[in-house]
Coordinates of all heavy atoms in Angstrom, one line a residue:
Chain D
I87 N 58.1 -0.8 -73.6 CA 58.0 0.7 -74.0 C 57.0 1.4 -73.1 O 57.3 2.5 -72.6 CB 57.5 0.9 -75.4 CG1 58.6 0.4 -76.4 CG2 57.3 2.4 -75.7 CD1 58.1 0.2 -77.8
N88 N 55.9 0.8 -72.9 CA 54.9 1.4 -71.9 C 55.5 1.6 -70.5 O 55.3 2.6 -69.9 CB 53.7 0.5 -71.8 CG 52.7 0.9 -72.9 OD1 52.5 2.0 -73.3 ND2 52.0 -0.1 -73.4
R89 N 56.2 0.6 -70.1 CA 56.9 0.6 -68.8 C 58.0 1.8 -68.8 O 58.0 2.5 -67.8 CB 57.5 -0.8 -68.5 CG 58.5 -0.8 -67.3 CD 57.8 -0.7 -66.0 NE 58.7 -0.6 -64.9 CZ 58.4 -0.1 -63.7 NH1 57.3 0.4 -63.4 NH2 59.4 -0.1 -62.7
S90 N 58.7 1.9 -69.8 CA 59.8 2.8 -69.8 C 59.3 4.3 -69.7 O 59.8 5.1 -69.1 CB 60.6 2.7 -71.1 OG 61.4 3.7 -71.3
Q91 N 58.1 4.5 -70.3 CA 57.5 5.8 -70.3 C 56.8 6.1 -69.0 O 56.7 7.2 -68.4 CB 56.5 6.0 -71.5 CG 57.3 6.1 -72.9 CD 58.2 7.3 -72.9 OE1 58.0 8.3 -72.4 NE2 59.3 7.1 -73.6
A92 N 56.1 5.0 -68.4 CA 55.3 5.1 -67.3 C 56.1 5.6 -66.1 O 55.6 6.4 -65.2 CB 54.7 3.8 -66.9
V93 N 57.4 5.3 -65.9 CA 58.1 5.8 -64.8 C 58.4 7.2 -64.8 O 58.7 7.8 -63.8 CB 59.5 5.0 -64.7 CG1 59.4 3.5 -64.5 CG2 60.4 5.3 -65.9
E94 N 58.2 7.9 -65.9 CA 58.4 9.3 -66.0 C 57.1 10.0 -65.9 O 57.1 11.3 -65.9 CB 59.0 9.7 -67.4 CG 60.3 9.0 -67.7 CD 61.5 9.3 -66.9 OE1 61.4 10.3 -66.2 OE2 62.4 8.6 -66.9
R95 N 55.9 9.4 -65.9 CA 54.7 10.1 -66.2 C 53.9 10.5 -64.9 O 52.8 11.0 -65.0 CB 53.8 9.3 -67.1 CG 54.3 9.1 -68.5 CD 54.5 10.4 -69.2 NE 55.5 10.4 -70.2 CZ 55.8 11.4 -71.0 NH1 55.1 12.5 -70.9 NH2 56.8 11.4 -71.9
T96 N 54.4 10.1 -63.7 CA 53.7 10.5 -62.5 C 53.8 12.1 -62.6 O 54.9 12.6 -62.8 CB 54.5 10.1 -61.3 OG1 54.6 8.6 -61.4 CG2 53.7 10.3 -60.1
S97 N 52.7 12.7 -62.3 CA 52.6 14.2 -62.6 C 53.8 14.9 -61.9 O 54.4 15.8 -62.5 CB 51.3 14.7 -62.1 OG 51.3 16.1 -62.1
G98 N 53.9 14.6 -60.6 CA 54.9 15.4 -59.8 C 56.3 15.1 -60.3 O 57.2 16.0 -60.4
T99 N 56.6 13.8 -60.6 CA 58.0 13.4 -61.1 C 58.2 14.1 -62.4 O 59.4 14.7 -62.7 CB 58.0 11.9 -61.3 OG1 57.6 11.3 -60.1 CG2 59.4 11.5 -61.7
R100 N 57.2 14.1 -63.3 CA 57.5 14.7 -64.6 C 57.9 16.2 -64.5 O 58.8 16.7 -65.1 CB 56.2 14.5 -65.4 CG 56.4 14.8 -66.9 CD 55.1 14.6 -67.6 NE 55.3 15.0 -69.0 CZ 54.4 15.1 -69.9 NH1 53.1 14.9 -69.6 NH2 54.6 15.5 -71.2
S101 N 57.1 16.9 -63.6 CA 57.4 18.3 -63.5 C 58.7 18.5 -62.8 O 59.4 19.4 -63.3 CB 56.3 19.0 -62.6 OG 55.0 18.8 -63.2
S102 N 59.0 17.7 -61.8 CA 60.2 17.9 -61.1 C 61.4 17.6 -62.0 O 62.4 18.4 -62.0 CB 60.2 17.0 -59.9 OG 61.3 17.2 -59.0
V103 N 61.4 16.5 -62.7 CA 62.5 16.2 -63.6 C 62.6 17.2 -64.7 O 63.7 17.6 -65.1 CB 62.3 14.8 -64.2 CG1 63.4 14.4 -65.2 CG2 62.4 13.8 -63.0
A104 N 61.5 17.8 -65.2 CA 61.5 18.8 -66.2 C 62.3 20.0 -65.7 O 63.0 20.7 -66.5 CB 60.1 19.3 -66.6
T105 N 62.3 20.3 -64.4 CA 62.9 21.5 -63.9 C 64.4 21.1 -63.7 O 65.2 22.0 -63.3 CB 62.4 22.0 -62.5 OG1 62.5 20.9 -61.6 CG2 61.0 22.4 -62.7
L106 N 64.9 19.9 -64.0 CA 66.3 19.6 -63.9 C 67.0 20.1 -65.2 O 68.2 20.2 -65.3 CB 66.6 18.1 -63.8 CG 66.1 17.5 -62.5 CD1 66.4 16.0 -62.5 CD2 67.0 18.1 -61.3
G107 N 66.1 20.4 -66.3 CA 66.7 21.0 -67.5 C 67.6 20.0 -68.3 O 68.5 20.5 -68.9
L108 N 67.2 18.7 -68.2 CA 68.1 17.8 -68.9 C 68.0 17.9 -70.4 O 66.9 18.3 -70.9 CB 67.7 16.3 -68.5 CG 68.0 15.9 -67.1 CD1 67.3 14.6 -66.8 CD2 69.5 15.8 -66.9
D109 N 69.1 17.7 -71.1 CA 69.1 17.8 -72.6 C 68.2 16.7 -73.1 O 68.4 15.5 -72.9 CB 70.6 17.6 -73.1 CG 70.7 17.6 -74.6 OD1 69.7 17.9 -75.2 OD2 71.7 17.1 -75.1
P110 N 67.1 17.1 -73.9 CA 66.2 16.1 -74.4 C 66.8 15.1 -75.3 O 66.5 13.9 -75.3 CB 65.2 16.9 -75.1 CG 65.6 18.3 -75.2 CD 66.8 18.5 -74.2
A111 N 67.8 15.4 -76.0 CA 68.6 14.5 -76.9 C 69.2 13.4 -76.0 O 69.2 12.2 -76.4 CB 69.5 15.2 -77.8
G112 N 69.8 13.9 -75.0 CA 70.5 12.9 -74.0 C 69.4 12.0 -73.3 O 69.7 10.9 -73.1
V113 N 68.2 12.6 -73.0 CA 67.2 11.8 -72.3 C 66.7 10.7 -73.3 O 66.6 9.5 -72.9 CB 66.0 12.7 -71.9 CG1 64.9 11.9 -71.4 CG2 66.5 13.7 -70.9
F114 N 66.6 11.1 -74.6 CA 66.1 10.1 -75.6 C 67.2 9.0 -75.8 O 66.9 7.8 -75.7 CB 66.0 10.8 -77.0 CG 65.8 9.8 -78.1 CD1 64.7 9.0 -78.3 CD2 66.9 9.6 -78.9 CE1 64.7 8.1 -79.3 CE2 66.9 8.7 -80.0 CZ 65.7 7.9 -80.1
L115 N 68.4 9.4 -75.9 CA 69.5 8.4 -76.0 C 69.6 7.5 -74.8 O 69.7 6.2 -74.9 CB 70.9 9.0 -76.3 CG 71.1 9.6 -77.6 CD1 72.4 10.2 -77.7 CD2 71.1 8.4 -78.7
G116 N 69.4 8.1 -73.6 CA 69.5 7.3 -72.4 C 68.3 6.3 -72.3 O 68.6 5.1 -71.9
K117 N 67.1 6.8 -72.6 CA 66.0 5.9 -72.5 C 66.1 4.8 -73.6 O 65.6 3.6 -73.3 CB 64.7 6.7 -72.6 CG 64.5 7.6 -71.4 CD 63.0 8.0 -71.2 CE 62.1 7.0 -70.6 NZ 62.5 6.7 -69.2
A118 N 66.5 5.2 -74.7 CA 66.7 4.1 -75.8 C 67.8 3.1 -75.4 O 67.5 1.9 -75.7 CB 67.0 4.8 -77.1
L119 N 68.8 3.6 -74.8 CA 69.9 2.6 -74.5 C 69.4 1.7 -73.4 O 69.7 0.5 -73.4 CB 71.1 3.4 -73.9 CG 72.3 2.7 -73.4 CD1 72.9 1.7 -74.5 CD2 73.4 3.6 -72.9
A120 N 68.7 2.3 -72.4 CA 68.2 1.4 -71.3 C 67.2 0.4 -71.9 O 67.3 -0.9 -71.5 CB 67.5 2.2 -70.2
L121 N 66.3 0.8 -72.7 CA 65.3 -0.1 -73.4 C 66.1 -1.2 -74.2 O 65.7 -2.3 -74.3 CB 64.3 0.7 -74.2 CG 63.2 0.0 -74.9 CD1 62.4 -0.8 -73.7 CD2 62.3 0.9 -75.6
A122 N 67.1 -0.8 -74.9 CA 67.9 -1.7 -75.7 C 68.5 -2.7 -74.8 O 68.5 -3.9 -75.2 CB 68.9 -1.0 -76.5
V123 N 69.1 -2.4 -73.7 CA 69.8 -3.3 -72.8 C 68.7 -4.3 -72.3 O 69.0 -5.5 -72.3 CB 70.4 -2.5 -71.7 CG1 70.9 -3.6 -70.6 CG2 71.6 -1.7 -72.2
E124 N 67.6 -3.8 -72.0 CA 66.5 -4.7 -71.4 C 66.0 -5.6 -72.6 O 65.8 -6.8 -72.3 CB 65.3 -3.8 -70.9 CG 65.6 -3.1 -69.7 CD 64.6 -1.9 -69.4 OE1 63.5 -1.9 -70.0 OE2 65.0 -1.0 -68.7
L125 N 65.9 -5.1 -73.8 CA 65.5 -6.0 -74.9 C 66.6 -7.0 -75.2 O 66.3 -8.1 -75.6 CB 65.3 -5.1 -76.2 CG 63.9 -4.4 -76.2 CD1 63.7 -3.6 -77.4 CD2 62.8 -5.5 -76.2

Side-chain angles (χ1 to χ4, degrees):
Chain D
I87 294 167
N88 274 323
R89 167 71 183 157
S90 168
Q91 292 296 327
V93 297
E94 308 289 345
R95 294 295 153 180
T96 310
S97 174
T99 306
R100 192 178 179 193
S101 300
S102 187
V103 172
T105 62
L106 293 176
L108 291 168
D109 175 10
V113 174
F114 165 75
L115 282 179
K117 294 199 79 65
L119 176 61
L121 186 57
V123 170
E124 291 162 20
L125 279 175

